[in-house]
Every structure is written in C-alpha cells, then in structure tokens.
Amino acid sequence: MPLSVGIVGLPNVGKSTLFNSLSSAKAEAANYPFCTIEPNVGVVTVPDARLEALDSIVKAARIVPTTFNFVDIAGLVRGASKGEGLGNQFLSHIREVDAIVQVARCFEDENIVHVENRIDPVGDIDVITMELCLKDLDTVQKRLERARKLSKSATAPYEKLAAEICEALAAHLDQGRPARNFTLPAHNDAPIILRDMQLLTAKPAFYLANVDEGSLGNLDGNKHYRALADRAAAEGAPIVAVCAALEEQIAALEPAERPEFLAASGLKEPGLNAVIRAGYQILDMQTYFTAGKVEVRAWTIKRGTKAPQAAAVIHTDFEKKFIKAEVIWWEDFVSLGGESKCRSAGKLAAEGKDYVVRDGDVMHFLTGA
C-alpha cells in the first residue's frame, strides 16, 4: 500500500482547493461545509531536482520520480468524536492514513463563511486536536479496562504495563494533548502497546497555513500565521504556508506557462512543493537513486534502512540474494560525469549488508543466482 497523508481541517478552510492543486484528481470545492463526503485520493510526485541532474549525465529513456498519496478528508466539526457532522465516518478515514496535515485558515474574507463564524487558526487546530484526542481517549479507556481484567492472567506483566501506560495516556489525551507527544516508559513492550491501539493522534503531523496571496512575501505581517507558527513551534511540528487559491491557479496552467506566472507572483516554485516535501519527510522517508540508460529512478525507503532492505524495494529477491551494493554519492555522479568516471576517481564504494543507505545515494545492487 502506498504511504498516505490525510488533509484534515474544519469545513471550508481550503482543504479541497489544496487537494485539487496537489493532484490531478479533482475534488468538488464549494463555499459550504461538508462539500467533500468520500475521501478523494490523489497520487503526487515528490519534487526532486536531483533526478534531472542525474539524467543530464545518463540521458535515460525516462525519469521515474517517487510518489505517495494525499487524501482529502471531509471537514471535522466540534463534536465529531461523538458523531456530529458525520464524524465517525470522517474519523475512520483519518485512521487509514499514515500521517496528517492539519489545514488552518489564516486569511480574512467575509465572502467565505467559517463554520464557527470566526478566523482563529489556533482555535481551529484546538477543535480538531481535541476531537481526535477524545476519539483516542475512548480507545485507550477500552484498552485500560481490558488490561485490568487480564492483569491476573498468564500475560500479567504485559497487561500491568498496558494498564500503567493507558492510565497515564488517558490523562494526557483528556487535556487535548496528542499521543505523539506522550512519553512512554522505558520498556521494550511500551511502543508495541501504543502501536497496537492505532491511535489517531499518534500519527505524525504538520501544519499548513492557508494564507492570502498578499501574505506570501511577508508572513510576519499576518497575525493569524504568526499565532499558528508559535503553536507549531511549541509542539516541535513543521509548518508550511501556502495560498491555496493561488496554488490552484498555478496547477491549472500548462507547465510551460508556470515559470512566468510564478515569477510574476514572486515565487521560485509552487508552494505546494514544500507541502509535498514536508509530507514525505514527516513520514520519515528518504530517497536513493538508480541511474542507467533505461531510466533514472527515485526509490523510497525509511531512514536508517540497510542496503539489502533497500534493494528489496526494487525486487524482493534482491534482499535474499544480496551480495554487495556499489554506491556513488549523487553529487559525485553529476560532477564527475557518471559511473565509470566515479569508479576511476575512487568515488564508487562497494558496501555490504550493514551499510545504511543515505538520502541521495546512487546505487547498483549485485546479487547471486
């Protein structure tokens, strides 16, 4: 299954406009709540200039970037954890994604209604976070009841630990604090207990501030953005600012027309490139490359992945039959002019099974029969 980031927010903050810009799939966008009912899924490519740099050397038949999914989830409202506003359906959609981007409106426009008749991005985030926490609290309390019942069984030590974790986590969630900020006890089973509950707020998350076009060059002048940025900093969460309406215009243009439009708007690249990169990074992913005449291709792996497991994303047999990996740093590959010149210059390394792949490695795997 492809990795996915769910776009979450109150109704009418620009989620579907953002999604339409990110993806070729077109979600309905209109000025009323609950415009999006079923989650729309769009596949996005991760922008990476290194692909074009590598291709400038090998002149491959095709370039294949890495991808992941963005999911447009219908707007949550206060009381969603209790079923308000089709809340149970929406919350189940959040459960299926790997990470969350919380969208908050950071602009004023009397022609666009707000579900709570106010512009307060931090307040919006508080509503979303509390509803997710309340749903998780219900899950944790049920797990706590089960742990208490099983604390005298054959698995008593494990269940006693589960009860200890659930009691502390319930208090944490009840304060509107997400599970991803909860400190687990130093026990090998603790992460397993947390993982098995599949909590919504345990998912990695970042914030997206939907600002007006005039704020793009002066974010410090936007009081709503500053407030949301302070909130993100306090949590240690990334924040990205875009003007979703402008991004939709950019996405509608032919590729050849975009550079001129971007320059006229004072942008070096679409703001959504930063959103895509943030989503990719929050999932703790990185990229390695293969480069040849057939294709230059980006491959997605988790940070910390070793060479045999990295090879397995190309073909599962490569892990079993792994002998070694020939590795070139991408900048060396480009500056020296390809694999053979890197080999001659001593910039190609033969690595074994314990090699931890770097973001940017160009790799060639050698396997046995």
Side-chain angles (χ1 to χ4, degrees), residues 259-295:
E260 183 179 353
F261 186 89
L262 287 167
S265 302
L267 301 174
K268 295 181 179 179
E269 65 174 0
L272 292 177
N273 283 9
V275 179
I276 294 169
R277 285 192 290 263
Y280 191 68
Q281 291 165 5
I282 201 74
L283 288 167
D284 202 25
M285 308 308 294
Q286 67 177 35
T287 301
Y288 77 85
F289 304 99
T290 52
K293 289 296 183 183
V294 175
E295 66 180 21

Side-chain angles (χ1 to χ4, degrees), residues 11-344:
N12 235 21
V13 297
K15 297 185 315 303
S16 293
T17 302
L18 171 69
F19 176 83
N20 288 342
S21 307
L22 282 164
S23 171
S24 58
K26 294 296 182 183
E28 181 187 9
N31 184 23
Y32 55 89
F34 308 120
C35 174
T36 307
I37 302 301
E38 292 299 324
N40 295 277
V41 180
V43 180
V44 300
T45 60
V46 179
D48 195 330
R50 295 174 296 183
L51 282 166
E52 286 73 21
L54 293 169
D55 187 57
S56 71
I57 303 301
V58 299
K59 304 294 192 297
R62 62 176 181 169
I63 298 176
V64 184
T66 190
T67 65
F68 67 100
N69 292 348
F70 270 97
V71 183
D72 181 26
I73 298 172
L76 292 172
V77 295
R78 196 182 300 273
S81 60
K82 304 300 180 185
E84 292 294 327
L86 302 179
N88 289 331
Q89 180 182 354
F90 299 165
L91 290 165
S92 70
H93 294 154
I94 297 172
R95 196 175 300 282
E96 294 169 3
V97 300
D98 300 294
I100 296 170
V101 51
Q102 293 195 36
V103 181
R105 177 175 165 182
C106 294
F107 66 90
E108 298 184 16
D109 186 338
E110 61 184 16
N111 295 315
I112 301 178
V113 298
H114 186 283
V115 69
E116 295 197 351
N117 296 314
R118 56 170 171 74
I119 306 300
D120 179 6
V122 174
D124 290 355
I125 295 299
D126 285 340
V127 170
I128 297 166
T129 302
M130 181 54 78
E131 293 304 324
L132 298 180
C133 284
L134 288 173
K135 191 67 176 179
D136 281 348
L137 182 58
D138 182 56
T139 300
V140 170
Q141 287 174 334
K142 289 177 180 177
R143 180 65 180 92
L144 175 58
E145 291 175 10
R146 184 160 67 90
R148 286 170 173 167
K149 288 178 181 178
L150 295 174
S151 61
K152 296 181 181 179
S153 68
T155 58
Y158 184 87
E159 294 302 331
K160 286 179 179 178
L161 176 64
E164 174 191 335
I165 290 171
C166 288
E167 286 175 357
L169 182 53
H172 181 90
L173 292 166
D174 195 46
Q175 296 173 3
R177 299 162 65 192
R180 60 182 166 271
N181 296 335
F182 177 71
T183 302
L184 287 168
H187 192 290
N188 289 339
D189 288 332
I192 300 171
I193 291 167
L194 180 64
R195 182 198 64 202
D196 288 349
M197 286 188 280
Q198 297 183 311
L199 300 179
L200 301 173
T201 64
K203 297 178 185 293
F206 67 103
Y207 293 138
L208 188 145
N210 184 12
V211 302
D212 59 284
E213 185 176 347
S215 295
L216 289 174
N218 181 28
L219 290 173
D220 287 341
N222 184 319
K223 64 180 182 181
H224 301 304
Y225 172 81
R226 291 200 313 271
L228 186 61
D230 289 344
R231 167 64 175 268
E235 295 183 4
I239 181 170
V240 179
V242 301
C243 173
L246 180 64
E247 296 297 326
E248 191 169 39
Q249 294 179 50
I250 295 169
L253 295 172
E254 293 297 326
E257 298 172 337
R258 291 175 188 171
E260 183 179 353
F261 186 89
L262 287 167
S265 302
L267 301 174
K268 295 181 179 179
E269 65 174 0
L272 292 177
N273 283 9
V275 179
I276 294 169
R277 285 192 290 263
Y280 191 68
Q281 291 165 5
I282 201 74
L283 288 167
D284 202 25
M285 308 308 294
Q286 67 177 35
T287 301
Y288 77 85
F289 304 99
T290 52
K293 289 296 183 183
V294 175
E295 66 180 21
V296 171
R297 185 166 186 147
W299 300 91
T300 299
I301 55 173
K302 280 279 188 183
R303 293 188 186 278
T305 298
K306 293 184 177 180
Q309 290 71 49
V313 304
I314 298 177
H315 196 290
T316 53
D317 283 350
F318 285 9
E319 180 178 2
K320 301 172 187 175
K321 300 176 181 179
F322 179 90
I323 296 175
K324 66 178 179 178
E326 294 183 337
V327 182
I328 304 170
W329 181 238
W330 78 272
E331 289 178 328
D332 292 335
F333 190 100
V334 174
S335 63
L336 293 175
E339 180 179 329
S340 62
K341 292 181 180 179
C342 286
R343 189 185 299 271
S344 299

